[in-house]
Amino acid sequence: MTEHPTSHEGRQPLAARPQERARPRQQEGPPGAAATAAIPGPSPVPNTTKGPVPNAVPNPVPGAVDAAGPAVDPQTLARREGDRLRFVGAATRRIARGIDLDEIVLGLCRASVPTFSDAILVYLRDPLPVGDERPATPFVLRLRRTDRLRLTDEDNDGGPEGERLRLPVAGSQAGLLPAADLCEIRAGGALAEVLRGVRPVFGDSAAARVALPELLGAGRTVPTGHRAILAPLRGRRRVIGAAVFLRGPERPPFEANDLLVAAQLATHTALGIDKAVLYGREAYIADELQRTMLPDSLPQPTGVRLASRYLPAAETARVGGDWYDAIPLPGSRVALVVGDVMGHSMTSAAIMGQLRTTAQTLAGLDLPPQEVLHHLDEQAQRLGSDRMATCLYAVYDPVAHRITIANAGHPPPVLLHLGGRAEVLRVPPGAPIGVGGVDFEAVELDAPAGATLLLYTDGLVESRLRDVWTGIEILRERLATTAQLTGPDHSPPLEALCDDVLDMLGPGDRDDDIALLAARFDGIAPSDVAYWFLEPEDAAPGRARRLARRALSRWGLDDLSDEVELLVSEVVTNAVRYAERPVTLRLLRTDILRCEVGDDAPQLPRQRRARETDEGGRGLFLVNRLARRWGATRLSTGKVVWFEMATR
């Protein structure tokens, strides 16, 4: 025997074998007479071919007398029982193949129509409860999907046969009897009682005759001559919906064993929906966790432009340990970080979040790159003996046009020069974070204006099909090819460059997460920088005002002189009050004007509202009111107080 085929939209349904047509079901009879009935086939449709229709599904009643008269023999009964079991097995396997909610509901519809019924309506709770959470009240069912037997144009020529199959459907096909989209379950009502009973019931039973109009909507019921089964969908803890199976008048009516089949289909569907909802919630939590661990947006520090990309290893493994970051530092510098924690799990993402937070804290202390990696290594050991990660930490100085890099077992960065030459930087590899007892070494390299530094995780260059160094060479060649397209005097657009780098991934190359951080070095020209040392004496504020006025006049920013002189005087006065060593004053002109005052006192200034009788304490209040932005950063040797002014 062959398995019963499942239906697809537009497919010619299979006709029941005429010689095995069963008699109508006996109402509320004892189960003995119909205990082993097989699954009935779809309604008979005109067959233009000669001979029997293959793979037909019988619908016998054990011990019944067919049209020829004699009783069905036990061998035939056993064969039909086998057909029923094979159909249930095939249908449940099809339902179980679905991963998300829509796939599971579609699997139920396609497995049922036309093999088991001519049409099906699937209602689900709105909203669907997740896990152990208490469902929202009131209890509302929403029509999630409908499916029905469809005939070919040739079959529809028969008129009455085509009308027989026009069953209740929703949407644009809701012609004769549209079902309601929403149904609110009344406490103590007939529908609530049927759902509470969990077991499927025949549509012509006393309870279903009242419950079905409540489910389908006011004034709607099963068309005359059609048979129905109302099957509650119960998940692990509660009823989450209902399914209505319908057969036309020319189809053999539902038998007692059809209730068992409907119960099997409903149970597998409900449990699958429960798991799909839980999976969806877990995927949402994983996405949110990964999103919050990575920066929402990159900063826009002076003298450098940034772009980034993150790709999970797969849709089913959305969280991992890859991260990137860009952290503004004092002196218009910026720290560029990329790291990779071993594994693809919530634990890896949590460890990544802790290491990223630690790196941000250490960057705020303005520690050298090798010291940052050393402290990250200590933090990883505190988290556990098996907490391993690789990390690359770089600090770019746009004024000096230099970059300092330290590496902890991470793939080396690639520097794309303005002329199109791509260079793999020679950086000491170091040991991964978490090994313990190792030293990290930093190197200082040139960072010419127009060059692009590419930091990445090993998922970009390593896979089952190639080793890491082969992937790095492919990446280098890809960058050089892309740069040649834009010419020797222009750097490729940063966002387009990131997309082009990801396009190098072919089939089988996505074995790991990918984090990508690209930095375009614009730098700050020496002519746009003014730098002085001021002795910590009473005359320092006056000298600072004069120096600032001259620099602004040279840059053509005389209209800012009054405000800048006032703010420079206030900040320098505060620095001189506590400093013991010379105070630094630096002005930077880019699209904004930035002023930085550094001293050796570690205490950060705090804004406060001065009383009317106070002689001082209003300096930072003026800075806060007149500057576009201001702040203070603690250094290992003191602090820097800065403010910015708009130049346009």
Side-chain angles (χ1 to χ4, degrees):
M1 292 295 295
T2 58
E3 287 190 10
H4 296 289
T6 54
S7 66
H8 295 274
E9 294 189 19
R11 177 179 293 182
Q12 176 76 15
L14 302 176
R17 296 178 181 175
Q19 66 272 22
E20 296 175 352
R21 192 73 54 83
R23 68 182 183 183
R25 175 181 54 83
Q26 297 178 358
Q27 293 290 337
E28 305 298 333
T36 58
I39 301 303
S43 304
V45 294
N47 181 24
T48 56
T49 61
K50 295 182 179 181
V53 179
N55 298 328
V57 185
N59 180 41
V61 178
V65 179
D66 58 18
V72 182
D73 60 88
Q75 184 177 2
T76 302
L77 292 179
R79 177 175 55 82
R80 292 172 181 173
E81 178 65 13
D83 290 346
R84 182 183 71 85
L85 294 177
R86 280 191 290 272
F87 164 76
V88 173
T92 53
R93 285 195 300 271
R94 179 161 193 163
I95 294 170
R97 283 200 299 265
I99 296 178
D100 59 25
L101 188 147
D102 290 331
E103 289 180 348
I104 293 171
V105 174
L106 178 62
L108 170 64
C109 294
R110 295 299 168 80
S112 304
V113 179
T115 311
F116 182 65
S117 62
D118 292 332
I120 184 174
L121 296 88
V122 181
Y123 287 83
L124 294 180
R125 194 162 189 163
D126 187 29
L128 278 168
V130 180
D132 295 327
E133 71 179 19
R134 297 180 63 86
T137 54
F139 191 160
V140 176
L141 293 180
R142 179 182 293 275
L143 183 60
R144 185 77 185 196
R145 186 177 182 88
T146 64
D147 206 352
R148 62 173 179 145
L149 182 64
R150 290 168 174 82
L151 297 178
T152 62
D153 293 338
E154 180 180 355
D155 295 329
N156 277 328
D157 292 340
E161 180 71 15
E163 290 296 329
R164 177 182 63 79
L165 297 173
R166 296 181 65 185
L167 301 176
V169 292
S172 60
Q173 299 174 345
L176 291 179
L177 186 59
D181 288 334
L182 288 176
C183 170
E184 181 174 342
I185 309 300
R186 299 191 304 270
L191 182 56
E193 292 300 321
V194 172
L195 296 180
R196 185 178 296 112
V198 177
R199 296 184 179 182
V201 295
F202 288 118
D204 54 2
S205 65
R209 281 197 296 267
V210 182
L212 279 174
E214 183 180 346
L215 178 64
L216 300 176
R220 301 182 178 97
T221 185
V222 177
T224 303
H226 291 74
R227 281 84 170 184
I229 289 180
L230 174 57
L233 302 178
R234 178 177 174 81
R236 293 186 301 164
R237 290 178 175 84
R238 61 184 65 88
V239 173
I240 60 174
V244 180
F245 302 92
L246 296 165
R247 282 187 185 173
E250 299 299 324
R251 180 80 171 263
F254 288 115
E255 300 290 340
N257 267 2
D258 293 334
L259 293 179
L260 301 178
V261 174
Q264 287 279 352
L265 300 180
T267 299
H268 281 79
T269 301
L271 293 177
I273 291 174
D274 253 0
K275 294 177 181 178
V277 172
L278 286 173
Y279 170 78
R281 173 61 63 87
E282 290 180 357
Y284 170 78
I285 293 174
D287 285 343
E288 287 296 302
L289 176 63
Q290 187 72 56
R291 184 186 63 81
T292 54
M293 294 300 182
L294 298 175
D296 291 334
S297 61
L298 293 173
Q300 300 297 325
T302 302
V304 62
R305 285 172 287 169
L306 302 172
S308 63
R309 295 290 187 273
Y310 175 81
L311 293 178
E315 287 297 319
T316 56
R318 294 180 159 185
V319 291
D322 292 19
W323 91 91
Y324 62 88
D325 214 341
I327 309 167
L329 299 177
S332 298
R333 296 170 301 148
V334 59
L336 307 173
V337 191
V338 64
D340 183 2
V341 178
M342 294 177 56
H344 305 92
S345 63
M346 304 284 274
T347 302
S348 299
I351 296 172
M352 176 266 286
Q354 296 182 67
L355 293 180
R356 177 174 177 248
T357 301
T358 303
Q360 289 179 327
T361 303
L362 296 171
L365 299 176
D366 199 29
L367 297 178
Q370 65 272 22
E371 289 297 321
V372 172
L373 294 184
H374 175 72
H375 289 292
L376 284 176
D377 180 59
E378 292 180 338
Q379 174 67 8
Q381 293 179 66
R382 283 191 290 267
L383 294 176
S385 58
D386 59 343
R387 306 310 188 194
M388 305 285 290
T390 64
C391 182
L392 193 145
Y393 188 94
V395 175
Y396 170 64
D397 189 340
V399 176
H401 295 270
R402 303 282 288 178
I403 185 168
T404 306
I405 306 175
N407 190 9
H410 204 77
V414 179
L415 184 65
L416 179 63
H417 294 269
L418 183 60
R421 180 173 64 92
E423 173 189 7
V424 180
L425 297 182
R426 296 179 179 272
V427 180
I433 290 173
V435 172
V438 296
D439 292 329
F440 299 98
E441 183 181 353
V443 294
E444 187 174 350
L445 305 170
D446 289 329
T452 303
L453 183 69
L454 199 71
L455 308 179
Y456 53 90
T457 55
D458 58 358
L460 180 65
V461 294
E462 186 179 22
S463 70
R464 295 187 301 268
L465 305 179
R466 64 190 182 200
D467 61 71
V468 62
W469 288 107
T470 301
I472 291 175
E473 182 61 23
I474 295 175
L475 172 62
R476 189 192 65 78
E477 295 176 354
R478 186 61 176 259
L479 290 173
T481 302
T482 303
Q484 292 173 2
L485 298 177
T486 58
D489 300 328
H490 298 85
S491 301
L494 204 56
E495 296 291 341
L497 180 65
C498 292
D499 293 335
D500 193 65
V501 166
L502 295 180
D503 287 342
M504 67 178 274
L505 298 171
D509 290 346
R510 289 286 303 282
D511 298 335
D512 198 356
D513 305 334
I514 297 175
L516 179 66
L517 179 62
R520 174 71 44 77
F521 300 143
D522 294 332
I524 300 177
S527 58
D528 292 328
V529 181
Y531 193 87
W532 304 278
F533 287 96
L534 304 174
E535 292 297 328
E537 55 189 14
D538 294 341
R543 184 165 180 258
R545 289 194 297 269
R546 292 191 299 272
L547 294 173
R549 186 187 311 117
R550 293 172 188 171
L552 293 177
S553 177
R554 185 171 65 251
W555 291 334
L557 300 175
D558 298 280
D559 54 337
L560 297 178
S561 292
D562 293 340
E563 294 179 350
V564 172
E565 286 183 41
L566 175 60
L567 300 185
V568 167
S569 177
E570 293 293 340
V571 176
V572 172
T573 298
N574 189 73
V576 169
R577 180 178 303 173
Y578 303 102
E580 297 180 358
R581 297 178 181 178
V583 175
T584 60
L585 171 63
R586 185 166 73 169
L587 296 179
L588 303 173
R589 181 190 65 166
T590 54
D591 54 339
I592 59 172
L593 179 69
R594 182 182 176 95
C595 175
E596 299 173 349
V597 178
D599 61 70
D600 61 346
Q603 295 82 10
L604 297 181
R606 300 189 182 278
Q607 182 182 352
R608 66 181 180 87
R609 183 175 296 275
R611 294 172 297 182
E612 295 181 358
T613 58
D614 291 342
E615 295 183 1
R618 297 175 177 83
L620 291 181
F621 178 77
L622 292 174
V623 174
N624 186 63
R625 291 296 300 270
L626 298 178
R628 191 183 75 165
R629 288 197 313 154
W630 77 278
T633 306
R634 182 179 287 110
L635 306 178
S636 57
T637 57
K639 68 175 180 295
V640 169
V641 180
W642 56 269
F643 64 85
E644 295 175 351
M645 304 288 291
T647 58
R648 298 182 180 85

